[in-house]
Amino acid sequence: MSTPQVPFVRRALGRPRITVPAVILVLELIASFGASWLAPYPPQQADFTAALSGPSAKHLLGTDRLGRDVLSRLMYGGADTFREIAIAVLITLVIAVPLGLVAGLRRGRIDAVLMRMADVVMSIPGIILLLIVLALFSQSMTAAMVVIGLLSVPGMMRVVRSASLTVGRETYVAAARVSGLGTWRVARRHVLPRITGLILVNAALACANTLLIAAGINAIGLGVKPPAPSWGGMMADAAQTLNQSLWLAIPTGGLVAVTAAALIVLGDGLRDTLAERWSGTSHATTTRRRTAVATTAAAAAAPQSDDAWLLAEPHPVVRLTKVTVTAETEHGEVELISDVSLAVGQGRTVGLVGESGCGKSMTGLALLGLLPNGARVSSGTVEIDGVDVGPYGPAQWRELRGGTIAFISQEPMVGLDPLFTIGQLLREAVRTHEKLSRKEATLRARELLEQVQLPDPDRVLKLRPSQISGGMAQRVSIAVALAGRPRILVADEPTTALDVTVQREIVQLLRTIQRDTGMALLMISHDWDVIAEACDTALVMYAGQVVEAGPTERVMTAPLHPYTRKLLAANPRLATVGEPIPTIPGTVPPPGQWPVGCHFADRCPDRVARCTEAPIALTQPDDQGVARCVLVGDELGEELLEVSS
Amino acid sequence: MSTSGVTVTGLPLLDIRDLSVSYHRRGKGTPAIRDVSLDIRPGETVALVGESGSGKSTLGRAVLGLTAVTQGTILFDGEDITHAAGARRRELSKSVQAVFQDPNGSLNPALTVGQTLAEPLLVHSRDERSVVQQRVREVLELVGLPAEAADRYPRQFSGGQRQRIAIARALVMAPKLIVCDEPVSALDLSVQAQVLNLFTDLQRETGVSYLFISHDLAVVRHLAQRIVVLYRGDVVEHGTTEEVYADAQHPYTRKLLAAAGVQSAAPATP
Ligand SMILES: Nc1ncnc2c1ncn2[C@@H]1O[C@H](COP(=O)(O)OP(=O)(O)OP(=O)(O)O)[C@@H](O)[C@H]1O
Ligand code: SF4
Ligand SMILES: [Mg+2]
């Protein structure tokens, strides 16, 4: 959990996408600004005897029409090129970034005025203005660059504005305002750092763009006056002598192309590296070391657990047997879930319950083949319809996910693309599974909306995700999930983001659909009410392990494990008003910091010495389920538990 | 009678009168809230309850100055703050603070917890670094987090811990009123329990008032002395917690009570 920050520069240096273009650009800069020391010849020195020669030891990049050294001229021309780019892009940034921030954060009238002004500037025909300015200012490239810089302001401003609008909606920006920060402070501290990546990418694009425009101006002879060297002028020369020498076009055109490409790639790379700083997910560039995890040792030490009860479901659609998921972190490979077994039979519902961070979602993702980058199933088997899906590649998984298995998540809106209507989204989902005409697809989409009990389906088909409420959105995402007629549905906290009144309806809806279709349901929730209402079997997870399982009713009325007891009690809905609500002190230990013995030991009121000596096995006291606690299935222990509860 | 043992006295701290907010220009379309009146006395918790879209958050945001008011007045400590802006609003932020729903989104991921907590202090005073750090340590302790937490980033904390940090930020300036907009709905039940107890303890220790916005009547009964039920922008029920639980007048309130799994007989029955 506590991932130390790898310094930005160090991380950037490890990325070829950043280092390669950066090295190219730095070398170009050194060569350009150091031309008077480094260049082999002065830019104007002509050697008529060697005109239009190819590369040679004397002239590394050959010579031009007048026998001048191409390398030297490119170097001398570079300084001007880079200076021009800098002028234009700096002007754009200095004006556009503050204006964009103000427009996006203040909104209202100031935004309207700025956007109107941007429209006006954007409607100016740029080329014509550029030609006029060049004519007026006797081919001054500086004047031309100022114009380009100004003309690019509206585009950049829009980018900054829309990004600040988005960041400005984040709760922490509202929180900062409530703390008393003015617009500028909010912009500088909270918004700018978040959109720096985006600005960098766009600045890089603007640089590349300016480079090409400047080369163009020089190529048509309106900028730098010959014989002074410029990249554009040299490209024009190369074009004129193309029928005499093909070579000349390569270093001149190539340099411009390589420079533009380097700028774009660098901007992209910097953005991704910056974004990682707070997204928390590290890039997949971490080579997947196949460390034979300490599972062999652990397996030897691990006691023989009684998984039979967990796996004894009739007609299982999915079955996980002793699945361990590990992930690469700064501290090496750590287990996220450990030895999890479960089975869900046709038409049955299994609930996964536990506090945040116990590995409920990870378990669901393992069976969906959707583990995050860097995480993998390191031991155990996942079977779907009796087939071991361990060796499946991405294509096979996609096919499974489209049909046999489906998924709905806590955030219904996230899965629904705001650009499309509900009808378009559903038709697309339907057509990836079945070959249907447009008309048939619409009919099926309508049918799905009826199945999720949305009133007035024809109207809903025409709406966009932004026009529906959270409850409706969850129904729509269930409809999308049902499009492939799944045999198992994984529902990860499907009601948590919804109002209490809507929560019930969604759970009941899932039950109805299940009764009608016979699909299996894996319901992940921290809410006992949802588990009680929906699930035949309840599995309680704690710190990566199944600590108790049994028929839902038994688990909730006669819990075996101390954690289950505590978790049932820590429910504000059941607590007595006027007294402190019962809680479980402390927090779930993160992966990598699990205790050797019982994972719950630090927070357990019933702990005894045995609890922390060795890993604890699942035991099955009777046919009503299993629990992972030394006191369960042990006469004296159970007495102790009775007393404490 | 107050449920959390806090004595509630005196003139209202917050007095909202006939407040309407419309997001449409020139009052077209239905307003998000219409003629809402409520008051909160020092040390009191008033819960604002309703389903999503009922206008709860709009009212909270209007009090915080994050949304423009169309009609009506908001008095704070006797002073009209309905349209307070700029320097006045910044001054006000010493006394009125907020805790928002989303524990992931309410902290800037790029700042350490210490930086986030110090922010209001740096805006309002020119205290020395050591004084600021001392205060940051104090509020962290108040919400039950270790002092080392100041040097870490939000993503290194669990949802419940992040919400504690957000509460700590609200407490830094020792405000008189905290607007809590669904502060526990995104949390596990077990963590909700911890955070609700924390709210109760803080009120006992600091005498702060809460405007507590929630869709869950089961949660608010632990904190609120009075409940205001909002339905599509209108107040449909207003009374002490006991009254509302024992004898809800409006059918919508009864529906909410049923959804919360609380029998409308008495608040204390589990
Ligand atoms: N990519 C990853 N690399 C390393 N650890 C991860 C990664 N993704 C998640 N984890 C950790 O794995 C653990 C289990 O996470 P999981 O999301 O399964 O919990 P959960 O029980 O679903 O919790 P919640 O109720 O909050 O959804 C957590 O401690 C989490 O921080
Ligand atoms: S094994 Fe020990 S520490 Fe773990 S739950 Fe049982 S009694 Fe508590
Ligand atoms: Mg989860």
Side-chain angles (χ1 to χ4, degrees):
Chain A
M1 258 263 194
S2 51
T3 37
Q5 299 264 311
V6 183
F8 171 65
V9 176
R10 235 181 58 209
R11 217 158 6 133
L13 288 181
R15 302 264 155 88
R17 272 172 64 202
I18 294 178
T19 44
V20 171
V23 165
I24 292 177
L25 290 170
V26 167
L27 286 179
E28 286 183 7
L29 282 169
I30 294 174
S32 302
F33 287 95
S36 38
W37 298 285
L38 298 172
Y41 301 93
Q44 256 56 280
Q45 183 176 317
D47 175 2
F48 292 106
T49 57
L52 284 179
S53 66
S56 65
K58 245 174 96 185
H59 300 285
L60 283 176
L61 295 180
T63 60
D64 70 359
R65 193 154 46 99
L66 302 175
R68 296 175 295 195
D69 184 53
V70 170
L71 176 63
S72 306
R73 284 180 66 76
L74 284 174
M75 286 169 72
Y76 276 99
D80 278 339
T81 309
F82 286 118
R83 202 173 302 129
E84 287 154 10
I85 294 177
I87 293 173
V89 175
L90 281 179
I91 287 182
T92 310
L93 288 177
V94 165
I95 301 177
V97 172
L99 289 185
L101 282 167
V102 168
L105 293 176
R106 276 280 181 78
R107 291 182 283 187
R109 187 167 314 147
I110 206 168
D111 181 30
V113 170
L114 284 171
M115 292 311 282
R116 183 60 55 81
M117 280 164 56
D119 288 340
V120 171
V121 176
M122 276 181 132
S123 64
I124 297 174
I127 304 280
I128 296 179
L129 184 65
L130 209 53
L131 293 179
I132 295 174
V133 167
L134 281 166
L136 282 179
F137 291 87
S138 62
Q139 306 201 355
S140 153
M141 277 308 268
T142 308
M145 289 303 126
V146 171
V147 171
I148 294 177
L150 290 175
L151 287 176
S152 318
V153 165
M156 181 72 81
M157 189 181 108
R158 277 166 185 250
V159 169
V160 174
R161 170 187 176 268
S162 69
S164 356
L165 262 179
T166 314
V167 179
R169 281 198 205 103
E170 297 249 8
T171 319
Y172 69 80
V173 175
R177 289 224 163 127
V178 172
S179 297
L181 271 71
T183 306
W184 274 123
R185 266 207 145 103
V186 168
R188 235 186 32 234
R189 276 179 70 92
H190 294 285
V191 180
L192 205 50
R194 277 289 295 277
I195 64 174
T196 311
L198 187 75
I199 296 178
L200 271 179
V201 175
N202 280 281
L205 279 176
C207 287
N209 206 17
T210 313
L211 169 69
L212 298 177
I213 297 179
I217 295 174
N218 287 326
I220 54 174
L222 289 180
V224 176
K225 293 187 194 112
S230 74
W231 292 3
M234 293 175 71
M235 274 163 64
D237 276 356
Q240 272 173 26
T241 55
L242 209 54
N243 50 357
Q244 295 155 40
S245 156
L246 276 176
W247 164 252
L248 200 49
I250 294 173
T252 53
L255 179 62
V256 171
V258 165
T259 310
L263 283 166
I264 294 170
V265 173
L266 180 67
D268 239 30
L270 285 177
R271 176 195 50 192
D272 293 350
T273 314
L274 270 176
E276 275 167 29
R277 226 162 91 199
W278 36 79
S279 71
T281 54
S282 94
H283 234 251
T285 42
T286 41
T287 41
R288 206 156 289 181
R289 269 174 298 137
R290 280 260 155 193
T291 29
V293 194
T295 37
T296 36
Q304 208 45 48
S305 262
D306 216 338
D307 290 21
W309 194 91
L310 289 167
L311 297 171
E313 279 258 332
H315 315 294
V317 183
V318 291
R319 188 152 76 170
L320 308 192
T321 316
K322 290 189 179 299
V323 168
T324 296
V325 170
T326 59
E328 295 272 354
T329 68
E330 283 78 359
H331 315 295
E333 195 146 4
V334 299
E335 292 188 355
L336 301 185
I337 60 173
S338 173
D339 258 352
V340 171
S341 297
L342 69 87
V344 193
Q346 205 177 321
R348 303 256 301 164
T349 305
V350 171
L352 276 184
V353 63
E355 285 167 289
S356 183
C358 283
K360 306 185 296 293
S361 297
M362 241 4 107
T363 307
L365 295 177
L367 97 79
L368 290 160
L370 285 177
L371 288 173
N373 268 340
R376 65 191 177 91
V377 174
S378 62
S379 69
T381 54
V382 178
E383 287 161 277
I384 294 175
D385 266 340
V387 181
D388 180 359
V389 294
Y392 273 24
Q396 280 162 304
W397 269 116
R398 254 196 310 279
E399 195 171 316
L400 260 188
R401 278 198 296 271
T404 312
I405 57 182
F407 177 57
I408 54 174
S409 78
Q410 174 172 351
E411 293 292 338
M413 290 290 183
V414 174
L416 303 176
D417 191 327
L419 294 177
F420 297 98
T421 63
I422 307 298
Q424 287 168 324
L425 290 168
L426 274 173
R427 271 203 301 274
E428 188 194 287
V430 166
R431 282 164 111 175
T432 50
H433 305 306
E434 293 166 65
K435 287 229 175 315
L436 293 177
S437 72
R438 208 188 125 83
K439 200 134 166 231
E440 289 165 331
T442 307
L443 276 179
R444 173 94 175 105
R446 204 175 171 283
E447 191 183 298
L448 284 168
L449 287 185
E450 275 169 4
Q451 201 175 358
V452 296
Q453 300 171 4
L454 271 170
D456 203 354
D458 290 311
R459 191 178 65 92
V460 176
L461 282 174
K462 296 196 196 83
L463 298 177
R464 286 174 204 280
S466 59
Q467 295 168 307
I468 60 181
S469 71
M472 285 167 86
Q474 192 57 287
R475 285 172 195 267
V476 170
S477 48
I478 295 173
V480 171
L482 294 177
R485 305 179 201 273
R487 307 214 30 241
I488 167 124
L489 178 68
V490 177
D492 192 351
E493 306 270 8
T495 63
T496 305
L498 305 174
D499 282 359
V500 261
T501 41
V502 188
Q503 287 180 2
R504 290 236 157 143
E505 296 170 15
I506 295 288
V507 171
Q508 278 157 7
L509 172 70
L510 285 171
R511 278 306 247 184
T512 312
I513 292 170
Q514 189 181 30
R515 207 184 46 227
D516 296 347
T517 62
M519 75 181 175
L521 183 59
L522 181 67
M523 174 77 89
I524 298 175
S525 182
H526 67 82
D527 189 338
W528 284 109
D529 286 358
V530 171
I531 299 288
E533 193 140 344
C535 303
D536 305 305
T537 305
L539 260 66
V540 185
M541 284 191 77
Y542 185 77
Q545 293 177 324
V546 175
V547 295
E548 172 154 11
T552 306
E553 170 135 19
R554 199 281 294 153
V555 171
M556 290 184 68
T557 53
L560 298 170
H561 197 282
Y563 177 62
T564 314
R565 293 165 191 240
K566 282 290 198 183
L567 193 63
L568 279 163
N571 185 344
R573 292 197 196 130
L574 304 180
T576 312
V577 171
E579 287 171 23
I581 310 166
T583 59
I584 315 174
T587 53
V588 184
Q593 293 176 32
W594 295 336
V596 177
C598 174
H599 290 189
F600 187 55
D602 292 344
R603 303 170 75 188
C604 181
D606 305 307
R607 187 178 68 199
V608 293
R610 268 181 300 157
C611 301
T612 47
E613 281 162 6
I616 318 282
L618 277 175
T619 44
Q620 183 181 345
D622 52 33
D623 64 350
Q624 291 294 295
V626 287
R628 196 185 291 277
C629 171
V630 292
L631 301 184
V632 171
D634 164 321
E635 252 171 62
L636 194 65
E638 298 210 343
E639 258 169 53
L640 278 175
L641 283 176
E642 283 312 313
V643 175
S644 85
S645 59
Chain B
M1 192 195 94
S2 83
T3 35
S4 54
V6 184
T7 33
V8 176
T9 50
L11 294 167
L13 178 69
L14 183 75
D15 193 355
I16 297 175
R17 293 188 193 154
D18 303 322
L19 198 73
S20 297
V21 174
S22 177
Y23 287 115
H24 305 273
R25 293 257 164 90
R26 295 186 196 91
K28 264 183 262 165
T30 38
I33 52 173
R34 193 166 25 211
D35 294 334
V36 172
S37 297
L38 66 86
D39 62 298
I40 305 178
R41 279 161 289 173
E44 187 186 29
T45 302
V46 172
L48 192 59
V49 181
E51 65 196 347
S52 85
S54 60
K56 307 182 298 280
S57 296
T58 302
L59 183 68
R61 292 176 65 87
V63 172
L64 294 167
L66 296 170
T67 292
V69 170
T70 315
Q71 250 173 47
T73 51
I74 305 173
L75 301 178
F76 181 80
D77 244 354
E79 182 199 5
D80 186 345
I81 60 159
T82 319
H83 301 287
R88 189 129 169 258
R89 176 56 67 182
R90 281 201 284 284
E91 192 57 30
L92 206 55
S93 68
K94 284 188 204 165
S95 335
V96 184
Q97 277 296 325
V99 177
F100 296 99
Q101 169 171 8
D102 174 14
N104 302 318
S106 65
L107 300 172
N108 187 339
L111 298 183
T112 65
V113 168
Q115 286 169 328
T116 292
L117 293 181
E119 195 158 63
L121 294 168
L122 298 173
V123 174
H124 291 292
S125 62
R126 295 191 207 305
D127 284 339
E128 285 174 31
R129 262 179 74 89
S130 60
V131 179
V132 170
Q133 280 175 347
Q134 175 60 31
R135 180 66 187 150
V136 167
R137 271 199 299 274
E138 272 169 30
V139 288
L140 281 172
E141 192 182 325
L142 214 48
V143 299
L145 287 174
E148 300 86 71
D151 302 323
R152 296 201 268 148
Y153 286 86
R155 67 184 168 84
Q156 295 167 274
F157 294 91
S158 70
Q161 288 171 325
R162 282 182 217 168
Q163 203 59 308
R164 282 172 193 265
I165 296 165
I167 296 171
R169 170 178 53 197
L171 289 171
V172 154
M173 297 306 297
K176 295 180 186 163
L177 172 71
I178 302 181
V179 176
C180 311
D181 192 349
E182 302 268 13
V184 298
S185 349
L187 305 175
D188 278 1
L189 287 177
S190 63
V191 184
Q192 283 189 13
Q194 292 180 355
V195 174
L196 289 171
N197 288 342
L198 174 64
F199 274 119
T200 310
D201 295 345
L202 289 173
Q203 189 166 56
R204 195 175 300 126
E205 283 165 42
T206 67
V208 66
S209 305
Y210 300 123
L211 175 59
F212 198 92
I213 300 172
S214 174
H215 64 256
D216 195 344
L217 274 168
V219 160
V220 305
R221 73 200 169 116
H222 290 289
L223 281 171
Q225 284 90 46
R226 283 186 296 144
I227 294 179
V228 174
V229 181
L230 215 53
Y231 180 61
R232 301 202 176 153
D234 292 317
V235 173
V236 295
E237 186 111 27
H238 187 168
T240 65
T241 307
E242 286 82 359
E243 283 164 6
V244 171
Y245 275 87
D247 186 21
Q249 298 298 311
H250 197 273
Y252 178 69
T253 314
R254 289 201 284 271
K255 185 178 164 200
L256 283 178
L257 283 167
V262 184
Q263 284 74 34
S264 52
T269 45

